[in-house]
C-alpha cells in the first residue's frame, strides 16, 4: 500500500517560482479568435468541474441513465480529496456517528476503507479518514464507471479541459452550447503536472497550440433539439470558483456581505468583494530517520514574517505533522499536547500540510484578490467574446505557490513565529518534501495540482417568496450564535435588531415584528431554517480562514481583517434549498458546490466534503428529473409557498435514492437540536 517512487525534493527540483513571471501572459490577455472546433460531443448534462460536487452530479445523472460530459482543469477527479490535496474528510461527530450522508458519499467512505483495510490509513486526528490524494481520484473514477454501468448512462470524461466560451440564446435564457479547450503535452514537451498552475493556467485557456501544450477545441452541445421553451440539456457549474457563474455573467456576490439582520456578524457595514477566505496549496512531507538537508528557497525571506503555529496550544511540530497525516505504516507512541491525543510521527509517515498561518494564502484587497470581481473581469477583457482566461489573478496564484514552499522550509528549518514570538519554533530537519509525478500530490513540483478553495463566486438566487431581492442562505439561517450579546444591540439599529430577533423567533416571529413582544423576551429557535424546497443537507461549523488586512498578505506585522472571525462558531444541521442552486437569467444552468446562493458567513460552513457531495447529488438528480418531466428547475419553486407537486416528487425521488433532504425529526415544532454537535 505504500506509494512507490517518492522523490525527495531539494533545490534542484523545486522549480524556481521566481522565474514564473517570464512564462505568464498579462492579466488582460485576450485570446485569438478560435479555429473551427475539432469535434462536437453531445450530452444531456454538462458538468463543469470534477471536484466532489461535480463527481456527485455525474454519479447521480449516470445512475439516472443520462449522458454526462464532465470537464476538469486537472487530470484528477475529486477536487478537495485529490487535486487540491485536502484528503482529510471534514465531518461533524453527530452526523458521522449516525452515518447520515448521501448514498454516494457513503460509498466513497466505504471504498476508502476497503482500499486500505481501514478508514484512516493516516492515523490523523483532524478526521476519521485521512488518505492519499491519488487514491481519492482512483476511487471516484471507479465509482463513476460503476454508476454508468448500473444506470446505463454514459460518461464523457474530459480531463485537462477548461470552458472557454458559452453560446447563449438571444433572449439570454439558454446556454445553447459551450466551447472547451483540452490540452495535452506538446511534442518533446515535459509531461503534464511538471509546472505549477500559475505557469500553465493562461496557456490552458488560450486557443493556440504552444511549446508546452497541444490543444483540442471541443464543442459541447445537447443530444436533442430544443422543443419549445423547456431546456433540452443542462449545464452544472461545479467549479471551485464559480467559473461559469462569472463567464455567464449571472448575478453573484464575492467576499464580505454588508452587515444586516440576516448577516449580523459581518465584519463590514458595506460589501467587500475582495476579502474572501484564504486558499491553500497543499503539499506532502515525509518523516525520516536521519536529518535531511533543507534548502532555503530564494523567496523565503519575503514570506517568513507570516508563518506561525498561531496558538500556544498548537505550538507542537508533532501535533501539526499528525493533524493531517495521510499515511502511517506503523503507529508511534501516544502523545498529548494542548488537550489533543495523537500518535507520534515515525519515519515513513506522510503528512499533508494545510495550516492557516502556514500555507494558507489570504489576500484581501483590490491589489491582490485571487478571484476577479465582475468589474475586474470587464477591465481585463474577460467578459468580451473569446476573452475568458479563468477569472483568476495569476500573480496571486504564483505568490500562493511560493508561500507554500516557504512554509515547508519554515516547518523544517525556521526559528521564528509571527504570532508567538521567539523561542517557540525549533528546527525539524528529519523530514523531506515529497515531489515527483509519483508523489502524493502527483506533481513534479510537489504542490497540489490546484489550490484548495474555500470560497468562490456565490450566485444570488431568483426573487422568491420571502426573498424579493433574490434568494440566499444567510448566517441567521444556520448559526447557533447567541444574538442577545450586547454587541448586536449596539451595532444594529433598533429596527434591524427587532428584525433579527423576529427572524430567529420561529413561531413567535409575527408577535415580535408587530411589537406585541419585546425582542429580548422571545426565545430563539434552536434549529436551522427549514426550507420547503430542501434537496440536500450539510453540517459543519462556520469556519473562517480570514483575509489579511494589508497587501501583500505576508507583509511584516500584517493582521487578519478585524471582525472576520466574529461570525465563526457552531452551526445547526442545515439544508440545501433548490432556490440556492438556480441562478437568475439562465434557465438551464444549475449551480453546485461552493457557488450556491449563500452569504459570506454561511459559505464558511457550506464548503466541506459531504456538503459538496450532497449539493452535487441534488444537481444531478434535479437535471435528470427536469429532462424526464419536461420542466425547468425554476418552475419547481416559482409558486412557493403554495404546494408544488413536482417539487415534492423530486424530493421523494432524492429520498428514495438515499439522498437525504432533511435531518431526522426536522420540523418547525421540533426545537431539540442541541444534541447535534
Amino acid at each position: 500500500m505504500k506509494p512507490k517512487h517518492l522523490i525527495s525534493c531539494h533545490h534542484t527540483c523545486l522549480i524556481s517560482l521566481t522565474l514564473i513571471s517570464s512564462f505568464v501572459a498579462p492579466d488582460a490577455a485576450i485570446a485569438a479568435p478560435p479555429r473551427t472546433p475539432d469535434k462536437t460531443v453531445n450530452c444531456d448534462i454538462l458538468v463543469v468541474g470534477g471536484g466532489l460536487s461535480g463527481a456527485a452530479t455525474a454519479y447521480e445523472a449516470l445512475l439516472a441513465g443520462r449522458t454526462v460530459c464532465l470537464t476538469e482543469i486537472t487530470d484528477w477527479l475529486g477536487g478537495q480529496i485529490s487535486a487540491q490535496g485536502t484528503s482529510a474528510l471534514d465531518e461533524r461527530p453527530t452526523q458521522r456517528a449516525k452515518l447520515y450522508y448521501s448514498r454516494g458519499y457513503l460509498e466513497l467512505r466505504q471504498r476508502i476503507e476497503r482500499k486500505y483495510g481501514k478508514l484512516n490509513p493516516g492515523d490523523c486526528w483532524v478526521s476519521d479518514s485521512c488518505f492519499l490524494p491519488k487514491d481519492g481520484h482512483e476511487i471516484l473514477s471507479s465509482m463513476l464507471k460503476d454508476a454508468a454501468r448500473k444506470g446505463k448512462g454514459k460518461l464523457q470524461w474530459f480531463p485537462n479541459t477548461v470552458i472557454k466560451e458559452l453560446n447563449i440564446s438571444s433572449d439570454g435564457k439558454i446556454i445553447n452550447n459551450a466551447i472547451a479547450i483540452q490540452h495535452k503535452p506538446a511534442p518533446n514537451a515535459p509531461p503534464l503536472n511538471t509546472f505549477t498552475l500559475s505557469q500553465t493556467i493562461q496557456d490552458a485557456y488560450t486557443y493556440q497550440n504552444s511549446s508546452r501544450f497541444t490543444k483540442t477545441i471541443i464543442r459541447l452541445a445537447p443530444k436533442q433539439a430544443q422543443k419549445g421553451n423547456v431546456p433540452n440539456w443542462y449545464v452544472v457549474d461545479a467549479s471551485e470558483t464559480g467559473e461559469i457563474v462569472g463567464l455567464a455573467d449571472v448575478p453573484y456576490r464575492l467576499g464580505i456581505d454588508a452587515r444586516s439582520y440576516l448577516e449580523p456578524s459581518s465584519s463590514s457595514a458595506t460589501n467587500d468583494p475582495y476579502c474572501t477566505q484564504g486558499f491553500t496549496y497543499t503539499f506532502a512531507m515525509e518523516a525520516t530517520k536521519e536529518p535531511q538537508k533543507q534548502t532555503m528557497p530564494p523567496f523565503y525571506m519575503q514570506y517568513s514574517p507570516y508563518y506561525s503555529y498561531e496558538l500556544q496550544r498548537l505550538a507542537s511540530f508533532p501535533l501539526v505533522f499528525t493533524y493531517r497525516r495521510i499515511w502511517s505504516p506503523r503507529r508511534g507512541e501516544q502523545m498529548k499536547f494542548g488537550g489533543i491525543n495523537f500518535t507520534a510521527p515515525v519515519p515513513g509517515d506522510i503528512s499533508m500540510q494545510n495550516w492557516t498561518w502556514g500555507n494558507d494564502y489570504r489576500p484581501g484587497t483590490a491589489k491582490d484578490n485571487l478571484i476577479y470581481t465582475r468589474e475586474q473581469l470587464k477591465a481585463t477583457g474577460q467578459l468580451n467574446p473569446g476573452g475568458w482566461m479563468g477569472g483568476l489573478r495569476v500573480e496571486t496564484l504564483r505568490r500562493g505557490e511560493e508561500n507554500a514552499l516557504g512554509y515547508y522550509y519554515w516547518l523544517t528549518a525556521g526559528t521564528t513565529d509571527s504570532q508567538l514570538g521567539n523561542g517557540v519554533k525549533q528546527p525539524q530537519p528529519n523530514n523531506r518534501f515529497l515531489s515527483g509525478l509519483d508523489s502524493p500530490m502527483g506533481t513534479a513540483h510537489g504542490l497540489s495540482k490546484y489550490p484548495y478553495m474555500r470560497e468562490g463566486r456565490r450566485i444570488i438566487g431568483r426573487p422568491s417568496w420571502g426573498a424579493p431581492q433574490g434568494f440566499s442562505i444567510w448566517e441567521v439561517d444556520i448559526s447557533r450564535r447567541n444574538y442577545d450579546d450586547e454587541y448586536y444591540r449596539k451595532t444594529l439599529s433598533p429596527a434591524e435588531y427587532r428584525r433579527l430577533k423576529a427572524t430567529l423567533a420561529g413561531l413567535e416571529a409575527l408577535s415580535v415584528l408587530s411589537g406585541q413582544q419585546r425582542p429580548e423576551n422571545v426565545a430563539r429557535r434552536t434549529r436551522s431554517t427549514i426550507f420547503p424546497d430542501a434537496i440536500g443537507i450539510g453540517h459543519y461549523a462556520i469556519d473562517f480562514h480570514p483575509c489579511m488586512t494589508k497587501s501583500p498578505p505576508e507583509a511584516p506585522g500584517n493582521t487578519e481583517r478585524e471582525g472576520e472571525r466574529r461570525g465563526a462558531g457552531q452551526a445547526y444541521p442545515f439544508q440545501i434549498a433548490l432556490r440556492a442552486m438556480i441562478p437568475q437569467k439562465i434557465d438551464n444552468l444549475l449551480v453546485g458546490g461552493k457557488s450556491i446562493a449563500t452569504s459570506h458567513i454561511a459559505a464558511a460552513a457550506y464548503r466541506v466534503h459531504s456538503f459538496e457531495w450532497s449539493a452535487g447529488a441534488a444537481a444531478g438528480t434535479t437535471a435528470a428529473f427536469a429532462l424526464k418531466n419536461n420542466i425547468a428547475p425554476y418552475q419547481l419553486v416559482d409558486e412557493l409557498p403554495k404546494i408544488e407537486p413536482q417539487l415534492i416528487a423530486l424530493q421523494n425521488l432524492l429520498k428514495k435514492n438515499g439522498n437525504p433532504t432533511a435531518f431526522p425529526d426536522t420540523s418547525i415544532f421540533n426545537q431539540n437540536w442541541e444534541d447535534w454537535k
Side-chain angles (χ1 to χ4, degrees):
M1 293 300 301
K2 183 171 181 176
K4 298 178 180 179
H5 311 303
L6 296 181
I7 301 173
S8 176
C9 187
H10 300 295
H11 66 281
T12 54
C13 66
L14 274 176
I15 295 173
S16 177
L17 299 185
T18 58
L19 300 178
I20 289 177
S21 57
S22 64
F23 295 103
V24 176
D27 277 357
I30 304 299
R35 64 180 187 266
T36 302
D38 299 296
K39 60 181 177 180
T40 295
V41 179
N42 301 110
C43 43
D44 297 314
I45 302 168
L46 165 60
V47 183
V48 181
L52 284 176
S53 185
T57 302
Y59 178 85
E60 291 295 338
L62 291 168
L63 285 171
R66 292 296 172 176
T67 298
V68 178
C69 294
L70 176 58
T71 69
E72 164 60 22
I73 189 172
T74 74
D75 56 352
W76 277 0
L77 284 168
Q80 290 192 49
I81 67 167
S82 58
Q84 296 172 41
T86 49
S87 49
L89 301 179
D90 288 322
E91 299 172 343
R92 300 309 288 163
T94 316
Q95 188 179 13
R96 183 170 58 219
K98 297 178 183 293
L99 289 179
Y100 201 74
Y101 298 109
S102 304
R103 63 175 173 178
Y105 186 80
L106 285 172
E107 182 179 343
L108 171 64
R109 293 173 100 258
Q110 291 163 358
R111 290 196 183 211
I112 292 170
E113 187 167 15
R114 193 183 313 151
K115 169 80 176 180
Y116 296 101
K118 59 183 73 173
L119 188 58
N120 191 5
D123 194 29
C124 65
W125 56 265
V126 71
S127 171
D128 269 14
S129 183
C130 292
F131 50 93
L132 296 164
K134 183 178 181 180
D135 291 334
H137 160 69
E138 292 179 349
I139 288 170
L140 285 174
S141 297
S142 296
M143 285 178 60
L144 294 190
K145 289 177 183 177
D146 290 347
R149 183 170 58 252
K150 182 178 179 180
K152 296 182 172 56
K154 182 178 180 181
L155 177 65
Q156 310 259 26
W157 163 233
F158 298 96
N160 310 306
T161 301
V162 299
I163 300 299
K164 177 68 175 178
E165 296 190 61
L166 299 175
N167 179 338
I168 299 176
S169 61
S170 58
D171 62 4
K173 293 183 178 182
I174 296 291
I175 298 174
N176 292 324
N177 59 67
I179 303 297
I181 304 174
Q182 185 173 45
H183 61 268
K184 65 180 182 180
N188 302 315
L192 297 178
N193 301 306
T194 296
F195 303 101
T196 61
L197 181 65
S198 71
Q199 291 174 291
T200 60
I201 187 170
Q202 292 203 321
D203 195 347
Y205 281 90
T206 303
Y207 281 114
Q208 300 97 323
N209 293 332
S210 69
S211 60
R212 285 183 179 155
F213 297 145
T214 298
K215 317 285 179 61
T216 301
I217 300 176
I218 307 165
R219 178 188 287 114
L220 300 165
K223 287 176 61 178
Q224 54 192 15
Q226 182 82 25
K227 295 180 180 178
N229 297 321
V230 179
N232 57 344
W233 78 321
Y234 285 92
V235 178
V236 178
D237 186 348
S239 66
E240 301 301 325
T241 62
E243 189 171 335
I244 301 305
V245 168
L247 176 57
D249 201 22
V250 299
Y252 61 88
R253 296 193 302 269
L254 257 175
I256 300 171
D257 297 294
R259 191 179 303 118
S260 71
Y261 75 96
L262 296 169
E263 193 89 346
S265 300
S266 173
S267 61
S268 176
T270 58
N271 297 327
D272 184 346
Y274 308 114
C275 179
T276 58
Q277 292 221 43
F279 68 94
T280 308
Y281 276 101
T282 60
F283 59 83
M285 56 192 293
E286 182 181 24
T288 61
K289 185 176 181 180
E290 301 295 333
Q292 306 294 305
K293 181 182 178 182
Q294 308 297 341
T295 303
M296 180 187 293
F299 42 77
Y300 176 72
M301 297 308 294
Q302 174 182 338
Y303 299 93
S304 62
Y306 174 74
Y307 305 128
S308 174
Y309 282 133
E310 184 174 1
L311 299 172
Q312 197 66 49
R313 63 180 176 83
L314 301 175
S316 160
F317 178 82
L319 184 84
V320 172
F321 184 94
T322 57
Y323 173 58
R324 291 178 181 269
R325 180 171 48 192
I326 56 177
W327 176 254
S328 183
R330 61 187 179 89
R331 297 294 182 259
E333 64 181 29
Q334 285 292 325
M335 297 185 69
K336 186 173 184 177
F337 189 91
I340 299 171
N341 295 302
F342 56 95
T343 57
V346 297
D349 282 4
I350 298 174
S351 172
M352 172 266 292
Q353 287 298 317
N354 174 13
W355 195 255
T356 306
W357 285 87
N359 48 336
D360 276 11
Y361 200 63
R362 302 192 275 162
T365 73
K367 297 177 182 179
D368 55 14
N369 64 309
L370 174 64
I371 304 172
Y372 279 150
T373 65
R374 185 178 188 275
E375 290 71 24
Q376 290 171 325
L377 290 174
K378 288 186 67 177
T380 56
Q382 294 201 47
L383 295 184
N384 295 336
W388 185 252
M389 300 295 287
L392 302 180
R393 189 189 299 269
V394 177
E395 171 65 10
T396 297
L397 284 174
R398 183 185 72 81
R399 287 176 177 265
E401 291 159 359
E402 290 183 342
N403 181 71
L405 293 172
Y407 177 56
Y408 168 76
Y409 183 77
W410 180 84
L411 280 172
T412 56
T415 57
T416 62
D417 190 298
S418 67
Q419 305 302 298
L420 302 179
N422 296 328
V424 174
K425 179 65 178 64
Q426 302 298 321
Q428 304 290 335
N430 289 40
N431 291 276
R432 65 187 183 120
F433 186 92
L434 297 178
S435 64
L437 299 180
D438 291 327
S439 68
M441 296 299 163
T443 61
H445 47 79
L447 299 177
S448 54
K449 300 183 179 191
Y450 196 91
Y452 171 41
M453 299 298 305
R454 295 181 179 85
E455 184 178 351
R457 299 178 182 89
R458 311 181 311 273
I459 63 166
I460 303 171
R462 302 185 181 202
S464 68
W465 165 66
Q469 303 303 315
F471 181 83
S472 188
I473 299 168
W474 297 92
E475 172 192 351
V476 295
D477 289 315
I478 66 171
S479 179
R480 289 177 180 257
R481 180 162 297 279
N482 177 12
Y483 294 102
D484 291 332
D485 188 282
E486 190 67 18
Y487 169 83
Y488 299 100
R489 297 174 185 271
K490 290 182 177 179
T491 307
L492 300 177
S493 69
E496 284 276 287
Y497 187 69
R498 180 175 289 276
R499 293 190 73 181
L500 166 64
K501 295 293 286 188
T503 301
L504 297 169
L507 299 177
E508 297 178 288
L510 291 178
S511 66
V512 179
L513 284 175
S514 65
Q516 296 177 34
Q517 290 201 58
R518 294 175 61 85
E520 57 269 25
N521 294 336
V522 178
R524 69 158 295 176
R525 66 167 189 254
T526 55
R527 56 164 173 78
S528 59
T529 298
I530 298 172
F531 298 115
D533 54 335
I535 56 173
I537 59 170
H539 191 205
Y540 202 68
I542 301 172
D543 181 24
F544 271 102
H545 293 237
C547 76
M548 302 298 281
T549 305
K550 296 185 294 185
S551 176
E554 67 273 12
N558 206 353
T559 58
E560 295 181 352
R561 182 73 64 87
E562 184 178 359
E564 266 292 270
R565 289 187 186 266
R566 184 177 296 112
Q570 297 304 311
Y572 295 110
F574 46 78
Q575 295 178 308
I576 304 166
L578 177 56
R579 285 169 294 168
M581 303 176 70
I582 302 173
Q584 297 181 29
K585 297 170 60 174
I586 298 178
D587 292 343
N588 68 334
L589 175 61
L590 287 170
V591 177
K594 292 180 283 283
S595 289
I596 69 168
T598 56
S599 70
H600 175 63
I601 291 177
Y606 280 81
R607 65 174 174 84
V608 295
H609 304 78
S610 65
F611 151 75
E612 282 211 23
W613 191 280
S614 187
T621 304
T622 300
F625 179 89
L627 288 170
K628 181 179 180 180
N629 291 278
N630 203 35
I631 188 172
Y634 78 89
Q635 294 175 311
L636 299 170
V637 294
D638 59 351
E639 296 295 327
L640 291 176
K642 295 179 181 178
I643 293 176
E644 296 264 18
Q646 287 180 300
L647 170 63
I648 295 172
L650 171 62
Q651 292 170 322
N652 288 337
L653 176 63
L654 283 160
K655 288 180 277 190
K656 176 185 175 183
N657 288 344
N659 294 306
T661 63
F663 284 89
D665 303 319
T666 294
S667 164
I668 61 173
F669 302 107
N670 179 16
Q671 303 294 321
N672 186 24
W673 289 90
E674 293 302 329
D675 289 340
W676 281 85
K677 303 300 183 185

